[in-house]
Amino acid sequence: MDIQNLIRDDEVHRDVYVSDEVFALEMDRIFGSAWIYVGHDSQIPEPGDYWTTRIGLESVVMVRGKQQEINVFYNRCPHKGARIAGDGCGHTKGLFRCPYHAWTFNLDGTLRGVPYLEGYENTRFDMADPRFSLRKVARVASYRGFVFASLSEKAVDFESFIAGIKSSLDNFCDRAPNGTVSVAGGVFRVVQRSNWKIFFENLNDTGHPIATHESSYRAARQYADEELGGELPFELHIIDGNGAPPKFWSDLDLHAFDFGHSYMTAIFNAPDDPLSQSYFASLAAEVGEDRAKEILGVNRHNTIIYPSCSPHTSFQQWRVIRPLAVDRTLVEIFTFRLDGAPEELLQRTFTYSNVVNSPSSIVMTDDVHVYAECQKGLATQGGDWVSQHRNAGQDLPFSGADGGVIGVGTSELPIRNQFRAWREYMAGDVAETIPQQGNER
Amino acid sequence: MRAARAPITRASEVPFETLCQFLYQEARLLDQRKFDQWNDLFAEGGMYWIPLEEDQEDPINHLSLAYEDSMMRQVRINRLNHDRAWSQKPRSRTSHTVSAIVVESVCEASNQLVVGSAFSMAEWRSFGHRTFAGLYTHTLQFSDGRLQIVEKRVDLIDSSEAFEPIEVFI
């Protein structure tokens, strides 16, 4: 399959969404090499704490080691292949013990014990041979507690990968009076009957809310009009935002960076209420008023760290995108505590997540529905190409500190930018040499 | 025969049969999409809660699949009734089964009852048929001769699983 024939500067072939062959290639060339978000180090505070998740189709375990280091292994016993850790969070006391034949492994993955060891004498088995230990993923790196891993030694280094979008990770953490954040409150998990890229495209797509979310913003406004004299409490405010007029969306900024990353500026602000004020005071007490204003002045809606996650810096949400099959995607939603902030702020984070990100969200359900409709339509013979023409060729280099390119709020820049990275990954040559970005044309 | 006696005023006196009928009626209103009437069953300040975790104690300091007051229930209802609720084409159809009803406790001071039950809800919608199952815990207020829902807690047996969107009330 010639990948270059599937992609143009302003449109892509439908096969990128519906072809099993393309999906298999993506798992190899994108998820087999890119830096993929694994988890946050607050999920595994003590040695022996672990978190089981996926990198592409691989089951992996992130574990806190004896020296406080973070190790990431493939979740496979080298003996018969059983997974050594179940799903989710757990704790093991100093070693992993396979549930099948009780082989044991140290927290750094090395083989520790094998029952009936005498039976292995004069065989090719060797305790010291790495192939009888848990296999580590090729590379692990973290920034401010966010842990990423790459299954390949060859692809781009982490510093280069994260450079463009680092400012969102910084702002995510700088908003905490202590400068650190921690996962809190559980994990939402939502399954979508659509290709993983459709979700990514939607994250910075400002053209859809007014159409897709009409039922929920109308419902919120109806309630506000009938019961509250038009006033919008926080929950309704965040639902109502999707109904903003076209000019509102085009006035936003979209910033795009190498490797498919991007972010959009905020679509609504936290209310100026006693909670926001006490939170501001807690932040200003640590960093000073000017710096606190500067931090909170960086107000962004979804950030995209392609191809695995999307932080929402202003409300401490972090979505993780896990492809399951060509037409099936799992999205996990984490919420974070700003360490040192009033506990009530975390409650607002939960409220935001309950309304917007819960499987029972009245907002998201229409997104998930239209993704599935795209997946169905793209499987038809009704046309081979998918348009990304909106404001194509009109993006400009950004002179601010971030660099990258900037487009008007309703541009499809982030989508074209994702496919620029997609093309590089799929061609097998994402390396330190990825071209620097200028004007998109 | 009951009519011959003085009217019931205490939650502890509410006949078991009346509690059963209340739970059956509540489920039936949902299955008939009579959402406004269903919402009227709640007491002022009453909450509809689907915890995310087994044995979750706190709906405020933890995520929940749903934690809805009368406002959020009504907004959900408004949306379900909206013509452009895309994911409700075709609209969800449901069938509840409520069973194993037990009175777990009675509080004389507040005149409230806690009623436990098992349920399953079959749902058909655009992507097909699926089933929810779990336990209900209804905290019911008895006042002015009628029962009202102070809290409807829905503990799904798979609450921490991955879900496709949940749109109607369970």
Side-chain angles (χ1 to χ4, degrees):
Chain A
M1 170 172 292
D2 190 347
I3 291 298
Q4 302 301 331
N5 289 340
L6 298 179
I7 182 163
R8 300 169 180 164
D9 285 347
D10 49 13
E11 54 192 352
V12 292
H13 193 277
R14 68 188 180 94
D15 279 357
V16 307
Y17 303 103
V18 299
S19 158
D20 286 315
E21 195 183 343
V22 170
F23 183 78
L25 271 177
E26 287 177 338
M27 292 306 104
D28 180 34
R29 295 183 183 175
I30 302 179
F31 290 85
S33 74
W35 287 96
I36 302 296
Y37 180 70
V38 178
H40 190 262
D41 67 6
S42 65
Q43 293 171 275
I44 51 167
E46 303 294 333
D49 290 342
Y50 64 84
W51 165 247
T52 304
T53 184
R54 296 158 65 97
I55 298 178
L57 300 182
E58 305 291 332
S59 178
V60 298
V61 189
M62 172 176 84
V63 60
R64 179 77 67 173
K66 284 219 163 120
Q67 272 71 52
Q68 293 294 326
E69 83 283 8
I70 290 176
N71 302 307
V72 182
F73 312 120
Y74 291 88
N75 193 5
R76 179 208 192 272
C77 180
H79 181 213
K80 297 294 185 195
R83 296 203 308 164
I84 51 134
D87 288 330
C89 261
H91 178 79
T92 183
K93 278 188 183 156
L95 55 79
F96 285 103
R97 182 175 182 272
C98 179
Y100 199 3
H101 299 93
W103 285 31
T104 55
F105 305 89
N106 296 307
L107 298 181
D108 65 1
T110 52
L111 181 62
R112 176 148 145 182
V114 175
Y116 310 108
L117 193 57
E118 64 281 4
Y120 291 94
E121 284 172 21
N122 302 315
T123 73
R124 291 192 292 154
F125 171 84
D126 177 1
M127 287 282 292
D129 185 337
R131 77 189 182 97
F132 298 108
S133 287
L134 297 174
R135 179 180 293 172
K136 286 190 174 186
V137 302
R139 293 179 296 170
V140 179
S142 74
Y143 184 69
R144 299 196 73 163
F146 301 103
V147 180
F148 292 75
S150 162
L151 300 183
S152 166
E153 297 284 0
K154 290 178 190 151
V156 65
D157 65 278
F158 182 70
E159 274 300 309
S160 306
F161 170 83
I162 206 70
I165 208 63
K166 221 172 184 175
S167 61
S168 281
L169 295 179
D170 283 329
N171 191 249
F172 200 101
C173 300
D174 288 346
R175 284 171 170 259
N178 297 1
T180 59
V181 297
S182 41
V183 172
V187 189
F188 283 144
R189 301 164 76 218
V190 176
V191 174
Q192 305 173 350
R193 295 181 185 233
S194 46
N195 186 269
W196 64 276
K197 296 186 293 298
I198 294 176
F199 181 80
F200 266 107
E201 292 172 32
N202 188 256
L203 285 166
N204 280 174
D205 174 56
T206 58
H208 85 280
I210 202 164
T212 304
H213 297 301
E214 182 170 347
S215 66
S216 53
Y217 68 72
R218 294 261 183 233
R221 287 178 186 179
Q222 182 188 342
Y223 187 88
D225 290 343
E226 288 175 358
E227 306 288 338
L228 304 173
E231 191 194 328
L232 293 165
F234 179 64
E235 293 92 331
L236 302 191
H237 176 59
I238 55 185
I239 298 171
D240 174 73
N242 284 318
K247 184 176 183 327
F248 171 86
W249 301 103
S250 53
D251 283 350
L252 298 172
D253 287 338
L254 293 164
H255 293 250
F257 307 92
D258 288 343
F259 304 106
H261 311 323
S262 60
Y263 70 82
M264 61 188 273
T265 47
I267 60 175
F268 44 73
N269 301 315
D272 183 22
D273 58 6
L275 172 56
S276 293
Q277 289 154 14
S278 71
Y279 159 57
F280 179 81
S282 73
L283 182 60
E286 293 295 330
V287 302
E289 284 214 359
D290 290 347
R291 176 66 183 137
K293 279 180 189 161
E294 187 183 11
I295 290 167
L296 298 182
V298 178
N299 198 2
R300 295 176 181 176
H301 196 59
N302 295 324
T303 288
I304 289 170
I305 305 179
Y306 194 74
S308 68
C309 61
S310 175
H312 191 296
T313 50
S314 306
F315 288 101
Q316 294 82 52
Q317 319 278 308
W318 187 289
R319 287 187 273 189
V320 181
I321 294 82
R322 306 290 190 206
L324 301 177
V326 66
D327 58 356
R328 200 157 290 239
T329 302
L330 172 69
V331 176
E332 296 178 312
I333 299 99
F334 295 84
T335 43
F336 285 75
R337 169 188 285 112
L338 296 179
D339 296 334
E343 203 62 15
E344 293 76 15
L345 194 75
L346 182 60
Q347 294 171 1
R348 186 154 78 192
T349 293
F350 293 147
T351 300
Y352 180 90
S353 203
N354 282 348
V355 172
V356 174
N357 285 324
S358 161
S360 69
S361 165
I362 65 167
V363 178
M364 182 181 57
T365 183
D366 283 313
D367 285 316
V368 175
H369 174 78
V370 296
Y371 306 158
E373 290 301 301
C374 287
Q375 195 70 28
K376 287 179 193 164
L378 289 166
T380 71
Q381 301 295 318
D384 279 343
W385 293 91
V386 180
S387 166
Q388 304 171 351
H389 294 92
R390 205 164 65 233
N391 299 92
Q394 298 168 26
D395 311 311
L396 297 168
F398 183 58
S399 55
D402 284 347
V405 296
I406 186 169
V408 297
T410 44
S411 173
E412 285 174 323
L413 160 66
I415 299 172
R416 292 187 294 273
N417 187 58
Q418 286 161 33
F419 275 98
R420 197 171 65 87
W422 187 90
R423 188 205 300 245
E424 298 285 342
Y425 279 117
M426 292 295 272
D429 58 9
V430 163
E432 288 88 329
T433 55
I434 194 166
Q436 279 301 306
Q437 196 158 348
N439 190 307
E440 266 218 321
R441 277 260 155 106
Chain B
M1 27 179 200
R2 195 170 294 133
R5 298 210 296 258
I8 294 168
T9 58
R10 305 305 308 163
S12 56
E13 298 167 347
V14 177
F16 181 70
E17 180 61 22
T18 303
L19 298 175
C20 294
Q21 283 296 319
F22 184 85
L23 263 57
Y24 296 150
Q25 276 296 341
E26 190 233 310
R28 190 163 177 82
L29 289 173
L30 290 176
D31 291 340
Q32 294 173 321
R33 286 181 78 103
K34 294 178 178 171
F35 297 127
D36 288 324
Q37 287 179 50
W38 174 80
N39 204 13
D40 286 342
L41 296 179
F42 283 78
E44 193 176 341
M47 299 300 291
Y48 166 74
W49 183 24
I50 313 177
L52 179 61
E53 313 285 352
E54 188 179 4
D55 301 326
Q56 185 176 331
E57 289 178 2
D58 188 341
I60 304 293
N61 294 290
H62 195 283
L63 295 173
S64 295
L65 290 172
Y67 186 61
E68 298 186 349
D69 59 9
S70 64
M71 175 178 83
M72 293 310 290
R73 292 193 302 271
Q74 188 60 51
V75 172
R76 180 179 295 279
I77 293 166
N78 291 351
R79 178 188 171 271
L80 287 168
N81 291 333
H82 196 275
D83 189 42
R84 290 182 174 170
W86 309 117
S87 61
Q88 281 290 295
K89 292 176 185 298
R91 66 188 199 175
S92 293
R93 294 176 66 184
T94 63
S95 166
H96 284 77
T97 302
V98 183
S99 65
I101 299 170
V102 294
V103 177
E104 297 207 316
S105 63
V106 181
C107 177
E108 286 291 346
S110 61
N111 220 18
Q112 291 181 359
L113 295 139
V114 177
V115 181
S117 58
F119 77 92
S120 63
M121 184 187 91
E123 181 191 27
W124 177 82
R125 50 176 296 193
S126 58
F127 53 70
H129 188 284
R130 64 175 170 176
T131 303
F132 295 92
L135 301 178
Y136 285 146
T137 307
H138 285 78
T139 304
L140 301 175
Q141 175 81 46
F142 188 71
S143 50
D144 302 331
R146 68 181 186 125
L147 293 164
Q148 289 186 300
I149 302 170
V150 173
E151 182 180 272
K152 177 181 179 180
R153 175 179 174 136
V154 181
D155 282 288
L156 296 169
I157 56 172
D158 52 357
S159 63
S160 52
E161 246 305 348
F163 288 97
E164 298 194 66
I166 300 166
E167 294 188 66
V168 293
F169 301 98
I170 296 175

